[in-house]
Amino acid sequence: MCVGVPAKVLHIEGFSARVDVMGSQMDVGIIFVPEVKIGDYVIVHAGQAMSIIDEQYAKESLEEWRKLVDARRDG
């Protein structure tokens, strides 16, 4: 099983993009999603944007990720 994290695309340059994942920014490859645009949400796995997802799904998923992070920190 692979785990992917939702991220918002902030900047695109060539075959890479700067994304925001829960407040942290990183550069990821976008070779699998060449049609991605600034403002899109993507699933990131192993440093690559694997697919474009809709904003509502991204926000719901990020909420669940936040709960996991908070539970681990508090628990």
Side-chain angles (χ1 to χ4, degrees), residues 24-63:
S24 295
Q25 293 185 11
M26 65 181 70
D27 293 325
V28 300
I30 56 170
I31 196 163
F32 298 121
V33 288
E35 70 278 15
V36 72
K37 300 181 298 288
I38 293 171
D40 283 349
Y41 285 86
V42 294
I43 293 291
V44 175
H45 172 71
Q48 296 293 320
M50 304 303 285
S51 62
I52 299 170
I53 58 174
D54 69 66
E55 184 175 358
Q56 181 63 33
Y57 176 78
K59 289 182 177 182
E60 290 170 4
S61 184
L62 285 167
E63 171 103 9

Side-chain angles (χ1 to χ4, degrees), residues 1-5 43-46 50 65 68:
M1 181 175 100
C2 298
V3 177
V5 181
I43 293 291
V44 175
H45 172 71
M50 304 303 285
W65 275 102
L68 287 171

